C-alpha cells in the first residue's frame, strides 16, 4: 500500500517545507522501486507468457513528427548542400580561418569574453577594431584568406551578441548572447585542450547551415 505524505504546499516554514518535499520524493522513489520489483516477479512467474517489457520514454520515441528533421538520403537536402556556401567547409575541402573583432569602444566585458572565445574556436585570430570601418576590416580579411569574420557586440557594458559573416559574399547571421559566464568564475572548471570541436548531432534544416 502506498504511503501518503504530507502536502508541502501548505507549509509556510521553508526548512519544514523542504523536509516534507524530500520525504515526498523518497516515498515516490520507494513506490516506483516496489512496483518495478513486483512487475519483475510477475514476469518470472509467467515465463514465456509474460507481456513484453514497456519501452522506456525517451526524447527520440516521444518526439512529435517534425518535417524539418533531415532524413538520411534526402535528395532535396543533398542538392542544397552541393550549392551551399559552407559546402567546402563541411566537406573537408576548406579549413575555416576566422577573424574576430569588436565594436567601437569595447570594454573589459568584451575582452574577457574574447579570451574564452579564442580559446575554444580553432583557427581564429583577434583583430583590434580601433577606428577602422567594418567594410575595411572585411576587405582586409578577404585579402588575407579568412573565410569568416565575427564581430562581438555589447551595449552599456553588457554582451548582446555576435555577428557572423561568411566571406566574401555572405551569408550573415546574428547570434544573441544572454547568459555568458566567464570561465574564471566557474568553480572546478576543466582546462581546454587542442582538440577541434565539431557539430555531431545537427539534424534540423532550421539549425544546420
Amino acid at each position: 500500500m502506498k504511503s501518503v505524505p504530507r502536502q508541502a504546499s501548505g507549509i509556510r516554514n521553508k526548512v519544514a517545507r523542504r523536509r516534507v518535499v524530500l520525504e515526498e520524493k523518497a516515498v515516490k522513489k520507494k513506490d516506483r522501486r516496489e512496483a518495478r520489483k513486483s512487475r519483475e516477479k510477475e514476469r518470472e512467474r509467467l515465463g514465456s507468457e509474460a507481456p513484453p517489457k514497456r519501452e522506456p520514454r525517451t526524447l527520440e520515441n516521444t518526439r512529435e513528427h517534425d518535417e524539418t528533421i533531415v532524413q538520411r538520403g534526402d535528395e532535396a537536402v543533398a542538392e542544397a548542400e552541393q550549392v551551399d556556401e559552407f559546402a567546402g567547409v563541411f566537406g573537408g575541402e576548406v579549413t575555416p580561418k576566422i577573424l574576430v573583432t569588436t565594436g567601437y569602444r569595447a570594454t573589459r566585458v568584451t575582452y574577457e569574453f574574447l579570451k574564452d572565445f579564442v580559446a575554444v574556436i580553432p583557427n581564429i585570430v583577434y583583430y583590434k577594431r580601433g577606428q577602422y570601418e567594418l567594410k575595411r576590416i572585411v576587405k582586409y580579411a578577404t585579402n588575407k584568406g579568412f573565410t569568416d569574420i565575427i564581430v562581438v557586440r555589447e551595449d552599456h557594458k553588457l554582451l548582446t551578441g555576435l555577428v557572423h559573416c561568411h566571406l566574401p559574399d555572405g551569408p550573415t547571421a546574428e547570434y544573441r548572447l544572454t547568459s555568458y559566464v566567464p570561465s574564471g568564475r566557474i568553480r572546478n572548471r576543466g582546462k581546454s585542450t587542442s582538440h577541434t570541436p565539431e557539430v555531431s548531432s545537427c539534424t534540423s534544416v532550421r539549425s544546420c547551415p
Side-chain angles (χ1 to χ4, degrees), residues 36-54:
R36 184 170 60 252
K37 289 181 178 179
S38 177
R39 290 195 300 268
E40 291 175 353
K41 289 181 179 180
E42 183 67 12
R43 287 182 60 81
E44 291 178 359
R45 186 182 67 82
L46 295 176
S48 60
E49 297 180 357
K53 287 185 176 182
R54 291 186 298 178

Side-chain angles (χ1 to χ4, degrees), residues 151-163:
V151 181
V152 182
R153 301 179 60 183
E154 69 168 271
D155 183 29
H156 293 84
K157 297 184 179 181
L158 292 176
L159 291 171
T160 58
L162 306 173
V163 177

Side-chain angles (χ1 to χ4, degrees), residues 133-193:
E133 293 183 356
L134 192 57
K135 290 183 178 180
R136 185 174 176 181
I137 298 177
V138 169
K139 184 177 180 180
Y140 168 84
T142 302
N143 293 336
K144 291 295 184 179
F146 286 93
T147 60
D148 301 85
I149 182 171
I150 295 177
V151 181
V152 182
R153 301 179 60 183
E154 69 168 271
D155 183 29
H156 293 84
K157 297 184 179 181
L158 292 176
L159 291 171
T160 58
L162 306 173
V163 177
H164 175 200
C165 179
H166 185 60
L167 302 176
D169 302 315
T172 298
E174 184 172 359
Y175 316 113
R176 288 190 303 168
L177 287 174
T178 56
S179 58
Y180 165 67
V181 177
S183 62
R185 301 180 189 176
I186 300 176
R187 296 182 59 185
N188 301 321
R189 62 186 183 279
K191 294 183 179 180
S192 60
T193 68

Side-chain angles (χ1 to χ4, degrees), residues 101-104 127-137:
T101 188
T102 67
Y104 292 124
Y127 186 89
K128 186 176 181 179
R129 178 67 181 269
Q131 297 302 313
Y132 293 113
E133 293 183 356
L134 192 57
K135 290 183 178 180
R136 185 174 176 181
I137 298 177

Side-chain angles (χ1 to χ4, degrees), residues 6-197:
R6 297 168 58 193
Q7 293 297 320
S9 59
I11 301 176
R12 304 181 67 177
N13 184 279
K14 183 177 180 180
V15 175
R17 184 170 63 248
R18 175 173 173 77
R19 183 173 62 251
V20 171
V21 168
L22 293 176
E23 290 176 355
E24 290 178 353
K25 289 183 177 180
V27 169
K28 291 179 180 178
K29 186 176 181 180
K30 180 181 179 182
D31 291 340
R32 288 195 299 268
R33 184 169 60 249
E34 291 178 351
R36 184 170 60 252
K37 289 181 178 179
S38 177
R39 290 195 300 268
E40 291 175 353
K41 289 181 179 180
E42 183 67 12
R43 287 182 60 81
E44 291 178 359
R45 186 182 67 82
L46 295 176
S48 60
E49 297 180 357
K53 287 185 176 182
R54 291 186 298 178
E55 184 179 1
R57 291 173 58 86
T58 64
L59 289 176
E60 293 297 328
N61 62 27
T62 57
R63 180 182 290 121
E64 296 182 3
H65 174 70
D66 187 348
E67 60 183 13
T68 67
I69 297 297
V70 178
Q71 302 298 329
R72 188 179 299 276
D74 190 298
E75 294 182 1
V77 173
E79 292 176 0
E81 288 179 346
Q82 292 178 2
V83 297
D84 190 273
E85 293 86 350
F86 294 93
V89 174
F90 286 98
E93 302 169 3
V94 177
T95 300
K97 183 180 178 183
I98 305 167
L99 184 149
V100 61
T101 188
T102 67
Y104 292 124
R105 296 182 294 278
T107 65
R108 181 180 60 83
V109 174
T110 294
Y111 293 113
E112 190 174 37
F113 169 78
L114 281 171
K115 183 179 179 181
D116 288 338
F117 193 61
V118 299
V120 297
I121 305 296
N123 300 324
I124 190 169
V125 177
Y126 166 67
Y127 186 89
K128 186 176 181 179
R129 178 67 181 269
Q131 297 302 313
Y132 293 113
E133 293 183 356
L134 192 57
K135 290 183 178 180
R136 185 174 176 181
I137 298 177
V138 169
K139 184 177 180 180
Y140 168 84
T142 302
N143 293 336
K144 291 295 184 179
F146 286 93
T147 60
D148 301 85
I149 182 171
I150 295 177
V151 181
V152 182
R153 301 179 60 183
E154 69 168 271
D155 183 29
H156 293 84
K157 297 184 179 181
L158 292 176
L159 291 171
T160 58
L162 306 173
V163 177
H164 175 200
C165 179
H166 185 60
L167 302 176
D169 302 315
T172 298
E174 184 172 359
Y175 316 113
R176 288 190 303 168
L177 287 174
T178 56
S179 58
Y180 165 67
V181 177
S183 62
R185 301 180 189 176
I186 300 176
R187 296 182 59 185
N188 301 321
R189 62 186 183 279
K191 294 183 179 180
S192 60
T193 68
S194 58
H195 295 86
T196 300

